[in-house]
Amino acid sequence: MDERVPRISSMQKGRITKYQPCPQIHLPDRQWPSRTITTAPTWCSVDLRDGNQALAIPMGIDEKLAMFQLLVQLGFKEIEVGFPSASQIEFDFIRRLIEENHIPEDVTIQVLVQAREELIRRTFESLHGAHRAIVHLYNSTSPLQRRVVFGLDKPEIIAIATRGTQLVKELLPTLPGTEVTFEYSPESFSLTEIEFSLEICEAVVDVWQPTPEHKIILNLPATVEISTPNVHADQIEWFCRHLRNRETAIISLHTHNDRGTGVAATELGLLAGADRVEGTLFGNGERTGNVDIVTLALNMYTQGVDPFLDFSEIDAVRAVYEKCTRLEVPIRQPYAGELVFTAFSGSHQDAINKGMAAQDPEPGALWQIPYLPIDPKDLGRSYEAIIRINSQSGKGGVAYVLESEYGYQLPKAMRIEFGKIINRLADETGEEILNRQILETFEHEYLKPRGPFQILSFRTVQEVDLLNHETVECVARVSHEGQIHELRARGNGPIDAFTRALNQTKLVQFTVRSYSEHALSQGAEARAAAYIEIQNDKGESYFGAATETNIELTSIKALVSAVNRSVRATRKETDSTYDKISV
């Protein structure tokens, strides 16, 4: 047995008594399953507080300022900037934002505070001079917190919340010129009896006395995610349906990701009636993190809903985030990860390649590309990284790289041939094959003269007989293993004539099966690419390729390339491609 694997399991088997399922909500006529998200919620970033407290090395003031400016650029209108009563750096950062006029007129800062008198007063001191602010008050409400942490019963927990609310209300005159919105969170809402959550929130509402014009924010945090997303949705819908004077409240979600379903729980919570979402960029937060607002917003975008957040330069967003937080966005993170728009699988590559060719190029046209639910260009990503090559890749991916990066449009059958060459290279190296290596392999295999035949000179003369039939005579000098041969033959075109001339030497016997060409560039000195497939006297097919400014010479060089590849294969001169290219 592997010594790293424990010999005795500590997990319970059979009937699990250590854990119990989350209580279900009785809601037989639930409405959220039949709803659709059609508008974006109000977004509130909590990167600067909830996200920051989860960092091994918290952000300094300069880093927090850079993050704040990024959030503003992305379009956040509500940003939680700190817990000013928790530390001096938190307090100082908020003062710097206000005093140095970093807060745009249309952005509301949010500050977090526990329902304790001295902390509330310190919080108000931090807000002097702000145009608008959300004061976010919270206290823990779950049975476990009531019993283990506070040793208080329900009325005493309610009293903490209402006293804190009353003090916030009394302190409003100390902030002249500041538009204050009040937010209350029954912390651990997800673990609190639903009836008690409603009771304490309504007690707070009774003290605050909101109106439809000046609403209260009731934030219902899944501080610890303990249920499947559908149960969370039931909790939110039940709360919204039973709350008195619902029109005076903004229902806000603050979902954590302990079960790995924070995004799903938030989406279902919005279907259930919530209006607002608190979360972080890329899901940074305690334990497994807060809900990822980037994923949420772009999920909506792919469904045709404007999220009112701009992630059109997602790599730049990721760079600022990683610099400020010292965290790395995983390579498979939805939308932002390095590899999320990359296909290694051969069948995926082939489908993407064909989808790209068929996609309507008109701006705003319906996006329909297999395996790509969003256009990478919408996020500032380029197509060059969509298809990358390893041993799992196929002909479609290799062809896509050659065409999209270097302009080579390989015939379908040639894609199969060259795809096998690249697969062999990937097997030899055991590594991903870079685009540059694909090009070098293509040049080494097809474009660089290797083999017994070398074309030294070539010219053609067109002739017309008495019946007005056009023929072409080719005159060529060819080197075969160092010996010079003067060749001359007639055909219906340059390729046919040169094929007849080579076959007359008896040095090689073949027929031409296919030919294609295309321009590689524009202008007077435009280069062309030609591809020729031949079949040798053993019935085996081989491709050749060449590039030149003279299309006639290009086709002849492509023919020589194919002949040389056929001869080398017959002689089993199958050297390692890996040894011929830079790695």
Side-chain angles (χ1 to χ4, degrees):
M1 180 183 291
D2 191 333
E3 293 299 324
R4 294 171 296 179
V5 178
R7 295 180 181 274
I8 300 176
S9 174
S10 60
M11 291 181 64
Q12 280 189 297
K13 305 297 181 184
R15 180 170 176 268
I16 307 300
T17 60
K18 192 172 183 179
Y19 305 99
Q20 61 183 356
C22 175
Q24 304 293 297
I25 303 298
H26 182 68
L27 199 65
D29 59 340
R30 58 182 59 85
Q31 300 299 305
W32 62 261
S34 61
R35 295 174 182 162
T36 303
I37 296 174
T38 57
T39 58
T42 299
W43 302 107
C44 178
S45 161
V46 295
D47 289 89
L48 295 171
R49 169 53 198 175
D50 216 355
N52 189 49
Q53 73 175 2
L55 298 176
I57 304 175
M59 289 181 274
I61 288 182
D62 289 340
E63 291 164 330
K64 292 186 78 170
L65 182 57
M67 179 65 79
F68 178 82
Q69 291 170 337
L70 171 65
L71 295 169
V72 169
Q73 291 169 6
L74 293 177
F76 284 94
K77 301 305 179 185
E78 296 182 3
I79 302 172
E80 187 174 82
V81 292
F83 197 141
S85 62
S87 70
Q88 190 62 42
I89 192 172
E90 297 271 291
F91 188 96
D92 291 344
F93 172 64
I94 294 169
R95 294 310 310 156
R96 180 173 177 181
L97 287 178
I98 296 171
E99 292 169 5
E100 296 182 4
N101 296 314
H102 291 294
I103 308 168
E105 288 286 341
D106 61 345
V107 172
T108 301
I109 59 171
Q110 177 171 303
V111 288
L112 185 66
V113 62
Q114 289 175 313
R116 291 167 50 187
E117 180 178 353
E118 69 279 12
L119 303 183
I120 294 171
R121 293 186 182 278
R122 178 66 167 166
T123 298
F124 268 74
E125 291 175 16
S126 74
L127 292 175
H128 282 286
H131 297 295
R132 54 179 59 86
I134 297 170
V135 176
H136 182 185
L137 184 81
Y138 75 94
N139 67 311
S140 296
T141 58
S142 70
L144 184 61
Q145 293 265 17
R146 298 195 308 259
R147 175 173 58 85
V148 174
V149 179
F150 300 105
L152 300 175
D153 57 20
K154 290 180 180 179
E156 292 170 309
I157 294 294
I158 292 175
I160 292 174
T162 53
R163 284 199 303 268
T165 303
Q166 183 61 43
L167 180 57
V168 170
K169 193 172 185 179
E170 292 172 359
L171 290 174
L172 289 180
T174 67
L175 294 178
T178 301
E179 180 184 326
V180 175
T181 300
F182 182 59
E183 175 177 350
Y184 173 70
S185 287
E187 191 192 3
S188 298
F189 166 82
S190 55
L191 288 161
T192 301
E193 309 95 325
I194 191 69
E195 294 83 0
F196 183 57
S197 294
L198 179 65
E199 181 182 358
I200 194 169
C201 285
E202 288 190 334
V204 166
V205 168
D206 288 342
V207 173
W208 189 254
Q209 292 292 301
T211 67
E213 295 73 31
H214 298 91
K215 297 182 180 183
I216 187 173
I217 299 173
L218 295 178
N219 190 51
L220 307 178
T223 309
V224 179
E225 189 181 37
I226 50 89
S227 70
T228 51
N230 62 298
V231 174
H232 179 256
D234 282 348
Q235 290 175 321
I236 301 302
E237 182 170 335
W238 188 97
F239 187 94
C240 289
R241 287 165 62 171
H242 288 81
L243 178 66
R244 285 189 282 109
N245 301 320
R246 170 68 176 87
E247 71 280 1
T248 68
I250 295 168
I251 303 302
S252 176
L253 304 176
H254 183 114
T255 311
H256 280 253
N257 197 44
D258 297 270
R259 293 171 52 89
T261 56
V263 168
T266 303
E267 289 177 328
L268 297 194
L270 290 172
L271 294 176
D275 312 296
R276 181 177 184 269
V277 170
E278 295 186 349
T280 60
L281 298 180
F282 309 116
N284 174 42
E286 296 283 13
R287 303 179 308 280
T288 58
N290 288 57
V291 72
D292 176 4
I293 287 184
V294 177
T295 298
L296 274 170
L298 292 177
N299 281 356
M300 293 179 189
Y301 182 68
T302 65
Q303 302 303 302
V305 176
D306 186 349
F308 298 108
L309 294 176
D310 186 357
F311 294 109
S312 57
E313 294 294 338
I314 195 70
D315 286 345
V317 176
R318 186 178 68 189
V320 174
Y321 167 86
E322 291 183 336
K323 181 178 181 181
C324 291
T325 64
R326 300 176 178 84
L327 299 177
E328 291 186 6
V329 174
I331 60 174
R332 295 294 183 185
Q333 180 87 2
Y335 302 109
E338 180 184 348
L339 294 183
V340 296
F341 296 124
T342 299
F344 289 105
S345 162
S347 61
H348 288 205
Q349 293 173 345
D350 184 58
I352 292 172
N353 192 17
K354 290 173 179 175
M356 289 291 188
Q359 174 63 29
D360 187 341
E362 284 296 315
L366 181 64
W367 177 253
Q368 294 180 303
I369 302 293
Y371 302 110
L372 291 178
I374 192 172
D375 185 349
K377 283 189 175 179
D378 286 355
L379 307 182
R381 305 285 291 269
S382 72
Y383 292 140
E384 64 188 44
I386 289 177
I387 292 178
R388 288 162 59 172
I389 308 302
N390 63 15
S391 61
Q392 305 302 306
S393 305
K395 64 182 186 304
V398 175
Y400 176 85
V401 170
L402 280 179
E403 181 171 353
S404 64
E405 292 296 298
Y406 307 110
Y408 291 105
Q409 301 169 17
L410 272 59
K412 186 174 182 179
M414 189 178 182
R415 297 175 187 179
I416 299 174
E417 180 183 87
F418 186 55
K420 291 178 180 178
I421 295 171
I422 293 299
N423 279 347
R424 186 173 72 242
L425 174 61
D427 286 339
E428 289 179 13
T429 64
E431 299 174 352
E432 179 185 348
I433 306 302
L434 303 178
N435 292 0
R436 169 182 53 79
Q437 294 173 280
I438 294 173
L439 176 64
E440 290 179 2
T441 304
F442 178 75
E443 292 173 338
H444 170 77
E445 185 70 27
Y446 296 97
L447 304 185
K448 295 180 179 178
R450 290 190 302 127
F453 290 94
Q454 303 291 325
I455 184 76
L456 302 178
S457 66
F458 180 86
R459 64 183 177 88
T460 59
V461 178
Q462 283 191 318
E463 298 179 347
V464 180
D465 62 19
L466 295 176
L467 298 176
N468 206 35
H469 294 152
E470 289 188 6
T471 60
V472 171
E473 181 183 35
C474 79
V475 180
R477 296 179 70 244
V478 173
S479 169
H480 178 260
E481 295 184 335
Q483 185 176 354
I484 306 300
H485 295 265
E486 303 284 345
L487 306 181
R488 183 185 295 264
R490 283 187 174 88
N492 58 20
I495 296 174
D496 183 50
F498 189 57
T499 299
R500 292 172 185 271
L502 281 177
N503 281 329
Q504 288 172 8
T505 67
K506 306 299 183 183
L507 297 172
V508 64
Q509 293 295 308
F510 66 93
T511 57
V512 174
R513 295 190 61 184
S514 66
Y515 170 75
S516 63
E517 64 184 50
H518 65 83
L520 277 173
S521 57
Q522 303 294 324
E525 298 298 319
R527 293 169 59 242
Y531 314 95
I532 285 185
E533 181 186 14
I534 67 168
Q535 186 176 65
N536 63 20
D537 54 359
K538 295 183 178 181
E540 301 165 334
S541 293
Y542 293 90
F543 274 91
T547 63
E548 281 288 345
T549 55
N550 181 301
I551 187 60
E552 183 176 276
L553 185 57
T554 305
S555 63
I556 298 305
K557 285 189 172 182
L559 182 59
V560 173
S561 168
V563 169
N564 281 333
R565 292 188 67 250
S566 172
V567 173
R568 291 202 311 272
T570 302
R571 296 177 178 179
K572 300 189 183 303
E573 295 177 7
T574 53
D575 53 7
S576 171
T577 306
Y578 175 65
D579 295 333
K580 304 299 181 182
I581 68 169
S582 58
V583 178

